[in-house]
Every structure is written in C-alpha cells, then in structure tokens.
Amino acid sequence: MNVKQLRAFVAVAKYQSFAQAGEHLHVSQPALSLTIKALEENLGGALLSRTTRSVSLTAEGEVLLPLARRLLADWDDTEEMLRQRFTLQLGRVSVAAMPAFAGNLLPHSLKVFRQRYPKVNVTVHDVINEQVLELVRHRRVELGIGFEPDNIDGLDFHPLYMDRFVAVVPADSPLAQLPQVSWAQLLAEDFVALQRPSAVRLLMEQNVAARHGKLAVAFESHQLSTIGRMVASGLGVSAVPALCINQMQELGARCVALVEPTVERRIGVIALSEHKLSTAAQALLEVLLSNTRIPEVTCVT
C-alpha cells in the first residue's frame, strides 16, 4: 500500500466514479483502475463494488476510508513541515557556546539570523568550553562555539577569529593609563580569576606558568560579570579574552593590551565531521562565519 494508491482510493470513494476521480487526479481511467486493482491485490480483497452505473464501497472499503483520509492528512502535514524546514520557514537549532562568547559576541549574530529566518527557533546553551565539546560529541547540539580543540578527531572546526587575552584593571589604576601591560606588572597586583575548570583559566595558567610561575589568585568567581565588578570596585586585576572587552568596560573596569607573553587562541564553530547539518544549523553557521564582529585587542582607556 502506498500514497498514490490511497489517494486514488479516496478520490474514487469521494466521487463514486472512476471518470470523475481520474479527472481530479489528472490520470486516465484505465491507469486509475490499475492502481485500485493493485491496492486491492495488496490488501487481499475488494474495496470497491463496481457496476456499469455506479461505484460503492465494500464493507472493507468503509473501514479503510477514514483511516486512509487520516494517513493522507498526516502524510501531507509531514511533507509540508519538512518543506518549511528545508526552506527555513520553520525549524529549530541548538547551539552551545562558552559564556564569554554567548554573552558578548553571539547576540549580534543571533539578531542577524532572526531577521533572516524569523520562524526558526534557536536554543543557546551557555556552558564552559569543555561542556561545549561534550554537547557536540553527544549530538545534544549541532553547533558549538569555543576555543579550537586540542583533539580535533571527528570534529570540524570553522575558525571565527584569533582571540587574545587583555588585562582588566580598575579605572583609577596607573595601569589603566598605559598603552600595554606586561604579565609581570599585572601579577604584581591582587589577581581575580575565573574558577576551574574554566578553559579561560586553564589557558591562562598554561601560558603564564613557564615565565611567571604558578598563578597566585586572591579572588575567584564562576561568572565573568562578577570578575568585572570585583576589578571595577578595586579588589584587584584580571585577564580575559578580548571578546569580553565591552562587557568589562560596561561594568566599570578598563582593558589594556597584555604582553610578555601574548596569550592567544583561535575561537570558532565546532561540529561533528560525519554529521550533515540540518538546513537551520547550516544557515546559522553561515551567519556566524560572516557576522561575528572581531573585538579590538587594543583598548581605549
């Protein structure tokens, strides 16, 4: 039993005429008769009672008719839903992004995406970098945004830009007046850091340890917004990726270029290599690649 046969059966039952049903379906009467015959042979008995003057349903045909109408309605609904998804008139996509990106750069791209595809729903999981990779690998999300993974096996990485750590200092600090600050100057102050296992914290420690030893932390927090407020209130200094510049300045802190060493890492979109992206996910990826605004590393004090 197939959709073509069901449509033929429902049309004949509706018009009680092979001639009228054939006109409605745009098929010849002999072709329509063969389609109905194939359906009856497949099911094992007659569905229609034919005379030279009329066509009527058998008892089994009466049973099949409401079921056939329901199946065809479900089929049409499914076909239309998929068509709308392929044309982005409908759809859903999930993306995981580390909080620094989700709160600073992602909103602009989402605004562009919404303007282009207003009927597509987007779910954002703002989680630490390690969880971004986990959600992608376990197919909980189609796209992840974070630092370039050390182990790229099974993943596609689409680079967005090279991010660089900047110093975050109080507005009244002498460091805020400098064009750039060295790590030695920054670490001479009380340091405010994100708590482990933040990828930002780990990346910072890995790059600074060789030259300046173990990072001595005076204050820790899970939230970047708390880090910014602590620094702005004069509790100490910090270092964050450049993508957080606007957020830190809005909280009242100042950002300065950070050197010796320059700590940088590529940020991009991560997806499974063997998994073909949905139409909605592919569209979001294209928006991210073309609309992510690269933050300025050199900051205005």
Side-chain angles (χ1 to χ4, degrees):
M1 185 169 63
N2 58 47
V3 172
K4 179 182 176 181
Q5 292 170 346
L6 287 180
R7 290 199 194 283
F9 169 72
V10 170
V12 173
K14 177 181 178 180
Y15 292 103
Q16 296 184 341
S17 164
F18 275 82
Q20 291 183 48
E23 289 179 10
H24 174 74
L25 296 173
H26 306 291
V27 298
S28 66
Q29 188 171 332
L32 183 59
S33 295
L34 288 174
T35 300
I36 295 295
K37 183 180 179 181
L39 175 62
E40 291 176 326
E41 289 177 350
N42 183 58
L43 293 178
L47 299 171
L48 298 168
S49 178
R50 307 163 178 84
T51 69
T52 56
R53 294 184 179 181
S54 66
V55 177
S56 60
L57 294 173
T58 64
E60 289 76 13
E62 294 281 2
V63 172
L64 176 60
L65 182 58
L67 299 176
R69 285 172 173 161
R70 190 187 314 160
L71 286 168
L72 290 173
D74 288 343
W75 178 273
D76 291 340
D77 288 345
T78 301
E79 195 174 54
E80 179 61 21
M81 180 192 68
L82 288 171
R83 185 178 292 109
Q84 289 181 358
R85 284 180 176 269
F86 280 125
T87 57
L88 295 173
Q89 299 174 52
L90 181 72
R92 179 183 301 273
V93 59
S94 294
V95 57
M98 56 183 185
F101 191 97
N104 290 281
L105 299 186
L106 185 57
H108 172 71
S109 292
L110 291 182
K111 184 177 181 180
V112 173
F113 184 80
R114 187 67 173 179
Q115 290 170 342
R116 293 183 186 177
Y117 314 108
K119 299 297 185 182
V120 180
N121 176 270
V122 181
T123 301
V124 178
H125 302 265
D126 50 340
V127 294
I128 62 174
N129 194 71
E130 289 73 17
Q131 288 177 303
V132 169
L133 293 175
E134 182 179 338
L135 290 175
V136 171
R137 289 189 183 278
H138 287 84
R139 298 195 176 187
R140 295 277 304 281
V141 300
E142 288 192 85
L143 301 174
I145 305 173
F147 292 121
E148 183 174 13
D150 293 324
N151 180 9
I152 204 71
D153 290 346
L155 299 173
D156 287 332
F157 181 77
H158 306 272
L160 294 174
Y161 68 97
M162 181 72 77
D163 205 314
R164 182 177 298 176
F165 273 73
V166 297
V168 186
V169 300
D172 58 358
S173 169
L175 297 178
Q177 309 305 317
L178 300 176
Q180 64 182 30
V181 174
S182 69
W183 277 95
Q185 290 172 295
L186 194 67
L187 295 177
E189 310 285 332
D190 287 337
F191 199 84
V192 185
L194 284 168
Q195 290 181 327
R196 295 190 184 93
S198 162
V200 171
R201 169 74 175 268
L202 297 175
L203 179 60
M204 184 169 55
E205 289 181 333
Q206 290 168 2
N207 284 268
V208 172
R211 192 175 300 190
H212 300 285
K214 184 178 179 181
L215 187 67
V217 176
F219 300 97
E220 292 179 297
S221 173
H222 278 301
Q223 302 296 329
L224 281 164
S225 57
T226 304
I227 299 290
R229 290 191 182 96
M230 285 181 172
V231 173
S233 65
L235 284 176
V237 299
S238 189
V240 299
L243 63 89
C244 304
I245 288 173
N246 289 339
Q247 181 182 11
M248 295 297 108
Q249 293 179 339
E250 287 172 0
L251 293 168
R254 294 292 182 268
C255 295
V256 183
L258 186 55
V259 296
E260 298 177 9
T262 297
V263 180
E264 56 187 13
R265 185 81 172 267
R266 287 204 300 179
I267 287 178
V269 185
I270 304 157
L272 287 176
S273 299
E274 76 276 9
H275 176 66
K276 181 175 174 57
L277 294 176
S278 67
T279 306
Q282 183 63 43
L284 179 56
L285 173 60
E286 291 169 4
V287 168
L288 286 166
L289 292 175
S290 59
N291 289 276
T292 297
R293 293 176 175 174
I294 302 174
E296 295 292 336
V297 175
T298 302
C299 313
V300 179
T301 58

